Protein backbone atom coordinates (compact mmCIF):
# COMPACT_ATOMS: atom_id res chain seq x y z
CA UNK A 1 0.00 0.00 0.00
CA UNK A 2 1.23 3.50 -0.85
CA UNK A 3 2.06 5.44 2.29
CA UNK A 4 1.01 8.83 0.86
CA UNK A 5 -2.24 9.81 -0.88
CA UNK A 6 -1.84 9.13 -4.63
CA UNK A 7 -1.40 12.04 -7.05
CA UNK A 8 -2.89 10.99 -10.37
CA UNK A 9 -2.82 12.60 -13.80
CA UNK A 10 -6.29 12.19 -15.23
CA UNK A 11 -7.85 12.52 -18.65
CA UNK A 12 -11.03 14.46 -17.94
CA UNK A 13 -12.71 13.10 -21.07
CA UNK A 14 -12.94 9.79 -19.18
CA UNK A 15 -14.43 11.31 -16.00
CA UNK A 16 -17.76 13.05 -16.39
CA UNK A 17 -17.92 14.23 -12.76
CA UNK A 18 -14.47 15.88 -12.86
CA UNK A 19 -15.34 17.56 -16.16
CA UNK A 20 -18.62 18.92 -14.76
CA UNK A 21 -16.83 20.24 -11.66
CA UNK A 22 -14.11 21.86 -13.83
CA UNK A 23 -16.83 23.61 -15.85
CA UNK A 24 -18.66 24.71 -12.68
CA UNK A 25 -15.41 26.12 -11.27
CA UNK A 26 -14.63 28.04 -14.48
CA UNK A 27 -18.16 29.44 -14.59
CA UNK A 28 -17.88 30.55 -10.94
CA UNK A 29 -14.35 31.99 -10.91
CA UNK A 30 -13.39 32.53 -14.56
CA UNK A 31 -10.21 30.44 -14.30
CA UNK A 32 -9.27 26.75 -14.31
CA UNK A 33 -8.43 24.86 -11.10
CA UNK A 34 -4.83 23.80 -10.34
CA UNK A 35 -5.88 20.43 -8.90
CA UNK A 36 -8.73 18.36 -7.51
CA UNK A 37 -9.01 16.41 -4.24
CA UNK A 38 -11.29 13.45 -3.59
CA UNK A 39 -12.23 11.82 -0.26
CA UNK A 40 -14.73 8.94 -0.11
CA UNK A 41 -17.53 8.25 2.29
CA UNK A 42 -17.73 4.89 4.01
CA UNK A 43 -20.06 2.16 5.15
CA UNK A 44 -19.20 0.45 8.42
CA UNK A 45 -19.92 -3.27 8.00
CA UNK A 46 -19.67 -3.99 11.72
CA UNK A 47 -18.25 -2.28 14.84
CA UNK A 48 -20.62 0.57 15.71
CA UNK A 49 -19.79 3.17 18.36
CA UNK A 50 -16.63 1.38 19.51
CA UNK A 51 -13.82 3.28 17.76
CA UNK A 52 -13.96 6.05 20.38
CA UNK A 53 -13.79 3.32 23.04
CA UNK A 54 -10.46 2.12 21.61
CA UNK A 55 -11.69 -0.92 19.66
CA UNK A 56 -11.14 -1.88 16.03
CA UNK A 57 -13.85 -1.48 13.39
CA UNK A 58 -14.48 -2.95 9.95
CA UNK A 59 -15.55 -0.40 7.30
CA UNK A 60 -15.09 -0.06 3.57
CA UNK A 61 -14.98 3.06 1.43
CA UNK A 62 -17.89 3.64 -0.96
CA UNK A 63 -17.95 5.19 -4.42
CA UNK A 64 -19.84 8.26 -3.19
CA UNK A 65 -17.39 11.00 -2.22
CA UNK A 66 -16.52 14.64 -1.67
CA UNK A 67 -14.67 16.18 -4.62
CA UNK A 68 -13.10 19.65 -4.55
CA UNK A 69 -11.68 21.75 -7.38
CA UNK A 70 -8.96 24.15 -6.17
CA UNK A 71 -7.11 27.20 -7.49
CA UNK A 72 -4.25 28.52 -5.34
CA UNK A 73 -4.29 32.33 -5.12
CA UNK A 74 -2.18 35.04 -3.52
CA UNK A 75 -5.37 36.53 -2.10
CA UNK A 76 -5.13 36.05 1.67
CA UNK A 77 -8.56 34.40 1.67
CA UNK A 78 -10.20 31.03 1.18
CA UNK A 79 -13.32 31.26 -0.98
CA UNK A 80 -15.66 28.28 -0.72
CA UNK A 81 -18.55 27.41 -3.00
CA UNK A 82 -20.66 24.27 -3.42
CA UNK A 83 -22.33 22.76 -6.48
CA UNK A 84 -25.41 22.21 -4.31
CA UNK A 85 -27.24 25.57 -4.06
CA UNK A 86 -28.51 24.54 -0.61
CA UNK A 87 -24.97 25.19 0.71
CA UNK A 88 -24.09 28.89 0.61
CA UNK A 89 -20.76 30.47 -0.41
CA UNK A 90 -18.34 31.41 2.35
CA UNK A 91 -15.12 33.45 2.47
CA UNK A 92 -12.58 33.58 5.31
CA UNK A 93 -9.23 35.30 5.82
CA UNK A 94 -6.25 32.93 6.16
CA UNK A 95 -4.24 35.11 8.55
CA UNK A 96 -3.11 33.88 11.97
CA UNK A 97 -6.08 33.27 14.26
CA UNK A 98 -8.62 34.17 11.57
CA UNK A 99 -10.13 30.70 11.07
CA UNK A 100 -12.87 30.30 13.66
CA UNK A 101 -15.35 27.41 13.82
CA UNK A 102 -18.80 27.88 15.35
CA UNK A 103 -19.65 24.52 16.94
CA UNK A 104 -23.11 25.82 17.87
CA UNK A 105 -23.90 26.35 14.19
CA UNK A 106 -22.53 23.33 12.25
CA UNK A 107 -22.77 24.66 8.69
CA UNK A 108 -21.05 22.87 5.79
CA UNK A 109 -18.19 25.35 5.50
CA UNK A 110 -17.19 24.87 9.15
CA UNK A 111 -16.50 21.19 8.45
CA UNK A 112 -14.23 22.27 5.60
CA UNK A 113 -12.49 24.76 7.89
CA UNK A 114 -11.89 21.98 10.46
CA UNK A 115 -9.63 20.29 7.89
CA UNK A 116 -7.93 23.56 6.98
CA UNK A 117 -7.27 24.44 10.61
CA UNK A 118 -5.99 20.93 11.40
CA UNK A 119 -3.27 21.17 8.75
CA UNK A 120 -2.46 24.77 9.66
CA UNK A 121 -1.92 23.86 13.31
CA UNK A 122 0.01 20.66 12.54
CA UNK A 123 2.60 22.62 10.56
CA UNK A 124 2.37 25.72 12.82
CA UNK A 125 1.72 27.90 9.76
CA UNK A 126 0.88 31.48 10.67
CA UNK A 127 -0.37 32.17 7.16
CA UNK A 128 -1.85 29.81 4.59
CA UNK A 129 -2.00 30.34 0.84
CA UNK A 130 -5.25 31.73 -0.48
CA UNK A 131 -7.58 29.38 -2.36
CA UNK A 132 -10.72 29.30 -4.41
CA UNK A 133 -12.59 25.99 -3.99
CA UNK A 134 -15.73 24.50 -5.44
CA UNK A 135 -16.95 21.41 -3.60
CA UNK A 136 -19.15 18.67 -5.03
CA UNK A 137 -20.62 15.94 -2.83
CA UNK A 138 -22.38 12.71 -3.79
CA UNK A 139 -22.67 11.31 -0.23
CA UNK A 140 -26.21 11.89 1.12
CA UNK A 141 -25.97 14.33 4.04
CA UNK A 142 -26.66 13.07 7.59
CA UNK A 143 -27.11 9.52 6.26
CA UNK A 144 -24.52 7.68 8.36
CA UNK A 145 -22.16 7.35 5.38
CA UNK A 146 -19.67 9.89 6.73
CA UNK A 147 -20.34 12.90 4.50
CA UNK A 148 -19.10 15.33 7.17
CA UNK A 149 -15.85 13.45 7.88
CA UNK A 150 -15.20 13.03 4.16
CA UNK A 151 -15.54 16.82 3.81
CA UNK A 152 -13.04 17.35 6.66
CA UNK A 153 -10.64 14.85 5.04
CA UNK A 154 -10.98 16.45 1.62
CA UNK A 155 -10.27 19.87 3.13
CA UNK A 156 -7.20 18.54 4.94
CA UNK A 157 -5.89 17.04 1.71
CA UNK A 158 -6.64 20.26 -0.20
CA UNK A 159 -4.82 22.40 2.39
CA UNK A 160 -1.78 20.11 2.45
CA UNK A 161 -1.51 20.09 -1.36
CA UNK A 162 -2.13 23.83 -1.81
CA UNK A 163 0.53 24.70 0.76
CA UNK A 164 3.07 22.25 -0.77
CA UNK A 165 3.31 20.06 2.33
CA UNK A 166 3.61 16.29 2.51
CA UNK A 167 1.98 13.89 4.98
CA UNK A 168 1.38 10.15 5.08
CA UNK A 169 -2.15 8.76 4.88
CA UNK A 170 -1.91 7.73 8.54
CA UNK A 171 -0.82 11.23 9.62
CA UNK A 172 -3.61 12.84 7.59
CA UNK A 173 -6.19 10.47 9.08
CA UNK A 174 -5.02 11.21 12.63
CA UNK A 175 -4.98 14.99 12.04
CA UNK A 176 -8.45 14.98 10.47
CA UNK A 177 -9.89 12.81 13.27
CA UNK A 178 -8.54 15.24 15.84
CA UNK A 179 -9.57 18.43 14.07
CA UNK A 180 -13.17 17.33 13.46
CA UNK A 181 -13.60 17.80 17.21
CA UNK A 182 -13.48 21.57 16.54
CA UNK A 183 -17.10 21.21 15.40
CA UNK A 184 -17.98 19.42 18.66
CA UNK A 185 -18.09 15.75 17.57
CA UNK A 186 -16.09 13.45 19.85
CA UNK A 187 -15.59 10.65 17.30
CA UNK A 188 -12.99 7.90 17.43
CA UNK A 189 -11.27 8.14 14.05
CA UNK A 190 -12.85 5.38 11.96
CA UNK A 191 -14.35 7.68 9.33
CA UNK A 192 -11.16 9.62 8.64
CA UNK A 193 -9.01 6.47 8.72
CA UNK A 194 -10.97 4.59 6.06
CA UNK A 195 -11.26 7.73 3.91
CA UNK A 196 -7.46 7.86 3.62
CA UNK A 197 -6.46 4.19 4.05
CA UNK A 198 -9.11 2.51 1.86
CA UNK A 199 -8.10 0.41 -1.12
CA UNK A 200 -10.31 -0.65 -4.00
CA UNK A 201 -11.68 -4.16 -3.72
CA UNK A 202 -11.15 -4.75 0.01
CA UNK A 203 -12.72 -3.83 3.31
CA UNK A 204 -10.36 -2.87 6.15
CA UNK A 205 -9.93 -3.76 9.79
CA UNK A 206 -8.99 -0.41 11.32
CA UNK A 207 -7.07 -0.57 14.61
CA UNK A 208 -6.07 2.38 16.79
CA UNK A 209 -3.09 3.32 18.97
CA UNK A 210 -1.17 3.00 16.70
CA UNK A 211 -3.45 3.51 13.71
CA UNK A 212 -3.17 0.69 11.18
CA UNK A 213 -5.34 -0.94 8.51
CA UNK A 214 -5.47 -4.60 7.50
CA UNK A 215 -7.12 -5.93 4.33
CA UNK A 216 -10.28 -7.97 4.90
CA UNK A 217 -11.28 -10.09 1.90
CA UNK A 218 -15.07 -10.30 1.79
CA UNK A 219 -16.57 -13.64 0.75
CA UNK A 220 -17.91 -14.20 -2.75
CA UNK A 221 -21.56 -14.99 -3.33
CA UNK A 222 -22.94 -11.88 -1.61
CA UNK A 223 -22.90 -8.10 -1.97
CA UNK A 224 -23.61 -5.22 0.39
CA UNK A 225 -26.65 -3.06 -0.33
CA UNK A 226 -27.06 0.33 1.34
CA UNK A 227 -30.53 1.72 2.02
CA UNK A 228 -31.27 5.12 3.55
CA UNK A 229 -34.20 5.36 5.96
CA UNK A 230 -34.43 9.06 4.98
CA UNK A 231 -34.30 10.33 8.57
CA UNK A 232 -31.41 12.76 8.96
CA UNK A 233 -29.22 13.06 12.07
CA UNK A 234 -26.47 15.67 12.31
CA UNK A 235 -23.97 14.45 14.94
CA UNK A 236 -22.66 17.93 15.66
CA UNK A 237 -26.11 19.48 15.93
CA UNK A 238 -27.47 17.03 18.53
CA UNK A 239 -26.17 15.64 21.79
CA UNK A 240 -27.15 11.96 21.30
CA UNK A 241 -23.70 11.00 20.03
CA UNK A 242 -21.70 12.81 22.68
CA UNK A 243 -23.96 11.47 25.46
CA UNK A 244 -22.92 7.95 24.43
CA UNK A 245 -19.24 8.99 24.46
CA UNK A 246 -19.69 10.36 27.99
CA UNK A 247 -21.57 7.27 29.20
CA UNK A 248 -18.73 5.04 27.97
CA UNK A 249 -16.18 7.31 29.65
CA UNK A 250 -18.03 7.11 32.98
CA UNK A 251 -18.44 3.32 32.67
CA UNK A 252 -14.68 3.10 32.07
CA UNK A 253 -13.96 4.90 35.33
CA UNK A 254 -16.53 2.93 37.35
CA UNK A 255 -15.14 -0.44 36.16
CA UNK A 256 -11.54 0.68 36.63
CA UNK A 257 -12.13 1.95 40.18
CA UNK A 258 -13.80 -1.28 41.30
CA UNK A 259 -10.81 -3.25 40.01
CA UNK A 260 -8.28 -0.97 41.75
CA UNK A 261 -6.87 0.64 38.59
CA UNK A 262 -5.75 4.26 38.23
CA UNK A 263 -9.22 5.21 37.08
CA UNK A 264 -8.62 8.95 36.76
CA UNK A 265 -6.27 8.53 33.79
CA UNK A 266 -8.40 5.96 31.93
CA UNK A 267 -10.85 7.26 29.32
CA UNK A 268 -11.75 4.27 27.12
CA UNK A 269 -13.32 0.91 27.83
CA UNK A 270 -10.55 -0.84 25.86
CA UNK A 271 -7.99 0.57 28.30
CA UNK A 272 -9.68 -1.23 31.21
CA UNK A 273 -9.46 -4.53 29.33
CA UNK A 274 -5.78 -3.93 28.50
CA UNK A 275 -4.90 -2.98 32.09
CA UNK A 276 -6.64 -6.08 33.46
CA UNK A 277 -5.26 -8.42 30.76
CA UNK A 278 -8.79 -9.78 30.40
CA UNK A 279 -10.70 -11.27 27.45
CA UNK A 280 -13.78 -9.56 26.00
CA UNK A 281 -15.91 -12.34 27.51
CA UNK A 282 -14.37 -11.60 30.92
CA UNK A 283 -15.10 -7.89 30.46
CA UNK A 284 -18.76 -8.72 29.76
CA UNK A 285 -18.76 -10.72 33.00
CA UNK A 286 -17.26 -7.75 34.85
CA UNK A 287 -20.01 -5.48 33.50
CA UNK A 288 -22.64 -7.90 34.83
CA UNK A 289 -20.90 -8.03 38.20
CA UNK A 290 -20.19 -4.32 38.72
CA UNK A 291 -22.82 -2.24 36.87
CA UNK A 292 -26.59 -2.32 37.35
CA UNK A 293 -29.14 -2.05 34.51
CA UNK A 294 -30.96 0.89 36.10
CA UNK A 295 -29.77 4.31 34.94
CA UNK A 296 -27.22 6.00 37.21
CA UNK A 297 -27.90 9.45 38.63
CA UNK A 298 -25.21 12.10 38.87
CA UNK A 299 -25.26 11.71 42.66
CA UNK A 300 -24.65 7.96 42.52
CA UNK A 301 -21.73 8.36 40.10
CA UNK A 302 -20.16 11.12 42.22
CA UNK A 303 -20.49 8.97 45.35
CA UNK A 304 -18.99 5.89 43.63
CA UNK A 305 -16.02 7.83 42.24
CA UNK A 306 -15.60 10.12 45.26
CA UNK A 307 -15.83 13.32 43.24
CA UNK A 308 -17.81 16.56 43.60
CA UNK A 309 -20.67 17.58 41.27
CA UNK A 310 -18.39 20.32 39.93
CA UNK A 311 -15.65 17.79 39.11
CA UNK A 312 -18.26 15.59 37.45
CA UNK A 313 -19.40 18.40 35.16
CA UNK A 314 -15.90 19.64 34.38
CA UNK A 315 -14.01 16.34 34.03
CA UNK A 316 -16.59 13.92 32.65
CA UNK A 317 -19.14 15.89 30.63
CA UNK A 318 -18.70 17.67 27.29
CA UNK A 319 -20.14 21.11 26.54
CA UNK A 320 -23.36 19.77 24.97
CA UNK A 321 -24.01 17.06 27.61
CA UNK A 322 -24.12 19.32 30.69
CA UNK A 323 -27.92 18.92 30.82
CA UNK A 324 -27.93 15.12 31.18
CA UNK A 325 -29.04 13.82 34.60
CA UNK A 326 -29.08 10.01 34.15
CA UNK A 327 -26.64 7.63 32.46
CA UNK A 328 -27.10 4.03 31.22
CA UNK A 329 -23.65 2.64 31.94
CA UNK A 330 -24.48 -1.08 32.01
CA UNK A 331 -26.17 -1.06 28.59
CA UNK A 332 -23.46 1.01 26.89
CA UNK A 333 -20.57 -1.08 28.23
CA UNK A 334 -22.33 -4.34 27.35
CA UNK A 335 -22.79 -3.13 23.77
CA UNK A 336 -19.18 -2.01 23.40
CA UNK A 337 -17.57 -5.22 24.66
CA UNK A 338 -20.06 -7.37 22.73
CA UNK A 339 -19.62 -5.41 19.51
CA UNK A 340 -15.82 -5.53 19.81
CA UNK A 341 -16.10 -9.31 20.00
CA UNK A 342 -18.37 -9.41 16.92
CA UNK A 343 -15.82 -7.43 14.89
CA UNK A 344 -13.09 -9.97 15.65
CA UNK A 345 -15.42 -12.88 14.79
CA UNK A 346 -16.44 -11.15 11.54
CA UNK A 347 -12.80 -10.82 10.48
CA UNK A 348 -12.07 -14.41 11.51
CA UNK A 349 -14.87 -15.67 9.25
CA UNK A 350 -13.61 -13.53 6.36
CA UNK A 351 -10.07 -14.88 6.86
CA UNK A 352 -11.04 -18.54 7.07
CA UNK A 353 -13.90 -18.40 4.49
CA UNK A 354 -15.90 -21.45 5.67
CA UNK A 355 -18.65 -22.79 3.38
CA UNK A 356 -21.35 -21.03 5.43
CA UNK A 357 -19.42 -17.74 5.77
CA UNK A 358 -22.20 -15.59 4.28
CA UNK A 359 -24.72 -16.94 6.83
CA UNK A 360 -22.24 -16.52 9.71
CA UNK A 361 -21.48 -12.90 8.78
CA UNK A 362 -25.19 -12.17 8.36
CA UNK A 363 -25.90 -13.50 11.84
CA UNK A 364 -23.20 -11.24 13.32
CA UNK A 365 -24.71 -8.23 11.53
CA UNK A 366 -28.16 -9.08 12.93
CA UNK A 367 -26.74 -9.38 16.46
CA UNK A 368 -25.02 -6.03 15.98
CA UNK A 369 -28.26 -4.30 15.02
CA UNK A 370 -30.10 -5.78 18.00
CA UNK A 371 -27.36 -4.50 20.31
CA UNK A 372 -27.40 -1.03 18.73
CA UNK A 373 -31.20 -0.94 19.04
CA UNK A 374 -31.64 -2.37 22.54
CA UNK A 375 -28.42 -1.64 24.46
CA UNK A 376 -26.94 1.44 22.78
CA UNK A 377 -30.34 2.84 21.77
CA UNK A 378 -28.96 4.51 18.65
CA UNK A 379 -31.56 3.27 16.18
CA UNK A 380 -34.95 4.82 15.36
CA UNK A 381 -38.35 3.34 14.35
CA UNK A 382 -37.76 4.00 10.65
CA UNK A 383 -34.36 2.25 10.70
CA UNK A 384 -35.80 -0.72 12.56
CA UNK A 385 -38.63 -0.94 10.03
CA UNK A 386 -36.16 -0.74 7.13
CA UNK A 387 -33.89 -3.44 8.60
CA UNK A 388 -36.93 -5.70 9.08
CA UNK A 389 -38.00 -5.13 5.45
CA UNK A 390 -34.46 -5.88 4.23
CA UNK A 391 -34.37 -9.21 6.11
CA UNK A 392 -37.79 -10.21 4.75
CA UNK A 393 -36.62 -9.21 1.25
CA UNK A 394 -33.81 -11.77 1.32
CA UNK A 395 -30.86 -10.22 3.18
CA UNK A 396 -28.96 -12.72 5.34
CA UNK A 397 -27.95 -9.86 7.63
CA UNK A 398 -28.93 -6.21 8.01
CA UNK A 399 -27.96 -3.51 10.50
CA UNK A 400 -27.79 0.22 10.96
CA UNK A 401 -24.48 1.75 9.90
CA UNK A 402 -22.95 5.01 11.07
CA UNK A 403 -23.93 6.92 14.19
CA UNK A 404 -27.59 5.91 13.95
CA UNK A 405 -30.70 7.82 15.06
CA UNK A 406 -31.46 7.89 11.33
CA UNK A 407 -29.34 7.36 8.23
CA UNK A 408 -28.63 4.06 6.54
CA UNK A 409 -28.84 0.32 6.91
CA UNK A 410 -26.31 -2.01 5.29
CA UNK A 411 -27.54 -5.44 4.19
CA UNK A 412 -25.63 -8.54 3.10
CA UNK A 413 -27.54 -9.98 0.15
CA UNK A 414 -26.83 -13.19 -1.81
CA UNK A 415 -25.63 -12.14 -5.29
CA UNK A 416 -28.42 -14.04 -7.06
CA UNK A 417 -31.11 -12.21 -5.04
CA UNK A 418 -29.94 -8.60 -5.47
CA UNK A 419 -32.46 -7.53 -8.13
CA UNK A 420 -35.46 -9.00 -6.32
CA UNK A 421 -34.15 -7.61 -3.01
CA UNK A 422 -33.92 -4.05 -4.34
CA UNK A 423 -37.35 -4.30 -5.96
CA UNK A 424 -38.96 -5.59 -2.75
CA UNK A 425 -37.32 -2.93 -0.55
CA UNK A 426 -38.30 -0.23 -3.04
CA UNK A 427 -41.95 -1.32 -3.03
CA UNK A 428 -42.19 -1.88 0.73
CA UNK A 429 -40.28 1.15 2.06
CA UNK A 430 -39.88 3.86 -0.59
CA UNK A 431 -42.86 3.73 -2.97
CA UNK A 432 -45.64 4.14 -0.32
CA UNK A 433 -44.12 7.43 0.93
CA UNK A 434 -43.83 10.29 -1.59
CA UNK A 435 -40.87 11.94 0.20
CA UNK A 436 -38.93 8.67 0.37
CA UNK A 437 -39.90 7.82 -3.22
CA UNK A 438 -38.35 11.11 -4.38
CA UNK A 439 -35.10 10.23 -2.56
CA UNK A 440 -34.97 6.55 -3.60
CA UNK A 441 -32.48 6.82 -6.48
CA UNK A 442 -29.76 8.09 -4.13
CA UNK A 443 -30.96 6.02 -1.18
CA UNK A 444 -30.88 2.38 -2.34
CA UNK A 445 -27.79 1.00 -4.04
CA UNK A 446 -25.22 -1.80 -4.17
CA UNK A 447 -21.82 -0.78 -2.81
CA UNK A 448 -18.40 -2.24 -3.59
CA UNK A 449 -15.21 -1.44 -1.64
CA UNK A 450 -13.74 1.76 -3.11
CA UNK A 451 -10.33 3.45 -2.98
CA UNK A 452 -9.10 6.15 -0.62
CA UNK A 453 -8.44 9.89 -0.82
CA UNK A 454 -6.66 11.07 -3.97
CA UNK A 455 -5.32 14.23 -5.62
CA UNK A 456 -6.08 14.59 -9.34
CA UNK A 457 -4.31 16.87 -11.79
CA UNK A 458 -5.20 17.49 -15.43
CA UNK A 459 -3.19 15.45 -17.90
Amino acid sequence: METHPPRLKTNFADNDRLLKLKNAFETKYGQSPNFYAHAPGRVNLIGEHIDYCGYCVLPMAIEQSILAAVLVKDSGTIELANTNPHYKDFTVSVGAGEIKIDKDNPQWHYYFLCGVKGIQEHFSMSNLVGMQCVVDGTIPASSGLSSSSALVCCAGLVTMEANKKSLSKVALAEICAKCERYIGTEGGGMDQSISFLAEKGTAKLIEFNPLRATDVKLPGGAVFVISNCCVEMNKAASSHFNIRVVECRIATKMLAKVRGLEWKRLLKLAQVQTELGASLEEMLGLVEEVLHPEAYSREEICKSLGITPEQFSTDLLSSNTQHVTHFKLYQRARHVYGEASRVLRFKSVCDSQPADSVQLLGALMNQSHASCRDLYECSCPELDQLVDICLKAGAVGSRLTGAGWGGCAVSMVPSDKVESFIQTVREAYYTPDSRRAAMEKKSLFVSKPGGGATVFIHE
Side-chain angles (χ1 to χ4, degrees), residues 15 22-24 27 38 73 98 132 141 149 165 188 190-191 243 292 344 353 379 385 391 415 419 428:
N15 192 316
K22 178 177 182 287
N23 292 339
T27 300
H38 156 271
K73 304 259 303 183
E98 293 289 338
Q132 290 175 324
S149 294
K165 302 294 183 182
M190 168 179 63
D191 302 346
I243 290 170
H292 56 66
L344 297 180
Q353 299 270 334
S379 190
Q385 179 196 3
L391 291 171
S415 302
E419 284 188 29

Side-chain angles (χ1 to χ4, degrees), residues 79-321:
E79 299 174 61
L80 297 175
N82 200 299
T83 57
N84 184 338
H86 176 72
Y87 301 117
K88 303 305 179 193
D89 293 3
F90 187 78
T91 300
V92 63
S93 170
V94 295
E98 293 289 338
I99 295 176
K100 294 180 173 61
I101 293 156
D102 184 358
K103 64 170 64 175
D104 296 322
N105 180 31
Q107 299 296 312
W108 81 275
H109 50 265
Y110 288 130
Y111 286 96
F112 193 97
L113 293 181
C114 282
V116 174
K117 189 173 180 181
I119 297 298
Q120 182 181 31
E121 292 189 349
H122 177 79
F123 287 106
S124 301
M125 292 186 283
S126 55
N127 287 292
L128 298 166
V129 298
M131 296 186 284
Q132 290 175 324
C133 304
V134 177
V135 175
D136 178 66
T138 54
I139 311 166
S142 302
S143 64
L145 299 177
S146 195
S147 58
S148 54
S149 294
L151 181 54
V152 174
C153 291
C154 187
L157 186 57
V158 161
T159 308
M160 180 194 81
E161 180 73 13
N163 287 274
K164 296 188 165 74
K165 302 294 183 182
S166 179
L167 287 166
S168 69
K169 295 177 184 179
V170 166
L172 278 162
E174 290 177 333
I175 291 165
C176 289
K178 184 180 174 185
C179 69
E180 192 167 330
R181 292 171 193 162
Y182 295 138
I183 200 84
T185 303
E186 296 194 38
M190 168 179 63
D191 302 346
Q192 301 82 3
S193 300
I194 192 64
S195 195
F196 284 109
L197 300 175
E199 289 183 276
K200 196 169 185 178
T202 181
K204 294 280 187 179
L205 182 78
I206 305 284
E207 300 171 84
F208 304 96
N209 301 310
L211 176 60
R212 55 197 183 279
T214 307
D215 289 358
V216 178
K217 183 173 168 51
L218 299 169
V223 298
F224 290 96
V225 180
I226 295 169
S227 49
N228 190 348
C229 79
C230 305
V231 174
E232 293 189 1
M233 201 290 283
N234 186 322
K235 282 188 296 189
S238 69
S239 60
H240 298 304
F241 185 91
N242 283 355
I243 290 170
R244 297 300 182 274
V245 177
V246 164
E247 287 174 319
C248 290
R249 188 181 301 153
I250 297 168
T252 296
K253 295 182 181 297
M254 297 282 275
L255 293 172
K257 190 166 192 291
V258 163
R259 279 292 178 264
L261 302 176
E262 292 181 49
W263 62 270
K264 288 185 179 179
R265 66 176 177 82
L266 299 183
L267 299 171
K268 299 177 180 181
L269 287 164
Q271 293 172 322
V272 183
Q273 183 192 358
T274 302
E275 296 269 329
L276 293 176
S279 68
L280 286 165
E281 288 67 30
E282 288 168 334
M283 294 309 299
L284 284 166
L286 182 62
V287 170
E288 295 290 339
E289 177 190 334
V290 172
L291 301 176
H292 56 66
E294 299 77 29
Y296 285 75
S297 67
R298 289 184 174 217
E299 293 74 22
E300 184 178 1
I301 295 166
C302 287
K303 185 178 177 183
S304 296
L305 295 178
I307 58 176
T308 66
E310 292 73 27
Q311 287 172 316
F312 179 87
S313 294
T314 304
D315 299 342
L316 297 182
L317 300 183
S318 56
S319 59
N320 69 345
T321 59

Side-chain angles (χ1 to χ4, degrees), residues 230-443:
C230 305
V231 174
E232 293 189 1
M233 201 290 283
N234 186 322
K235 282 188 296 189
S238 69
S239 60
H240 298 304
F241 185 91
N242 283 355
I243 290 170
R244 297 300 182 274
V245 177
V246 164
E247 287 174 319
C248 290
R249 188 181 301 153
I250 297 168
T252 296
K253 295 182 181 297
M254 297 282 275
L255 293 172
K257 190 166 192 291
V258 163
R259 279 292 178 264
L261 302 176
E262 292 181 49
W263 62 270
K264 288 185 179 179
R265 66 176 177 82
L266 299 183
L267 299 171
K268 299 177 180 181
L269 287 164
Q271 293 172 322
V272 183
Q273 183 192 358
T274 302
E275 296 269 329
L276 293 176
S279 68
L280 286 165
E281 288 67 30
E282 288 168 334
M283 294 309 299
L284 284 166
L286 182 62
V287 170
E288 295 290 339
E289 177 190 334
V290 172
L291 301 176
H292 56 66
E294 299 77 29
Y296 285 75
S297 67
R298 289 184 174 217
E299 293 74 22
E300 184 178 1
I301 295 166
C302 287
K303 185 178 177 183
S304 296
L305 295 178
I307 58 176
T308 66
E310 292 73 27
Q311 287 172 316
F312 179 87
S313 294
T314 304
D315 299 342
L316 297 182
L317 300 183
S318 56
S319 59
N320 69 345
T321 59
Q322 295 290 328
H323 63 287
V324 184
T325 59
H326 287 79
F327 305 84
K328 293 187 176 182
L329 309 184
Y330 167 85
Q331 292 86 346
R332 310 317 183 216
R334 258 193 71 192
H335 166 77
V336 169
Y337 290 129
E339 187 79 346
S341 177
R342 283 185 285 273
V343 171
L344 297 180
R345 282 182 278 157
F346 194 101
K347 182 175 187 295
S348 178
V349 171
C350 290
D351 289 346
S352 57
Q353 299 270 334
D356 59 346
S357 57
V358 170
Q359 286 70 32
L360 291 170
L361 297 180
L364 288 168
M365 292 174 71
N366 293 336
Q367 292 165 25
S368 173
H369 184 76
S371 183
C372 287
R373 180 192 64 217
D374 301 334
L375 294 175
Y376 223 70
E377 297 178 280
C378 59
S379 190
C380 66
E382 294 85 354
L383 257 178
D384 293 337
Q385 179 196 3
L386 179 55
V387 165
D388 189 49
I389 287 169
C390 288
L391 291 171
K392 288 175 179 170
V396 293
S398 186
R399 58 179 295 277
L400 68 83
T401 184
W405 298 286
C408 289
V410 57
S411 301
M412 195 175 195
V413 182
S415 302
D416 59 355
K417 291 185 178 177
V418 173
E419 284 188 29
S420 64
F421 172 85
I422 288 176
Q423 182 66 22
T424 302
V425 173
R426 179 184 293 128
E427 290 173 358
Y429 191 78
Y430 294 97
T431 305
D433 183 297
S434 59
R435 189 181 72 87
R436 292 178 191 165
M439 297 171 69
E440 186 253 318
K441 274 193 175 178
K442 291 184 178 179
S443 297

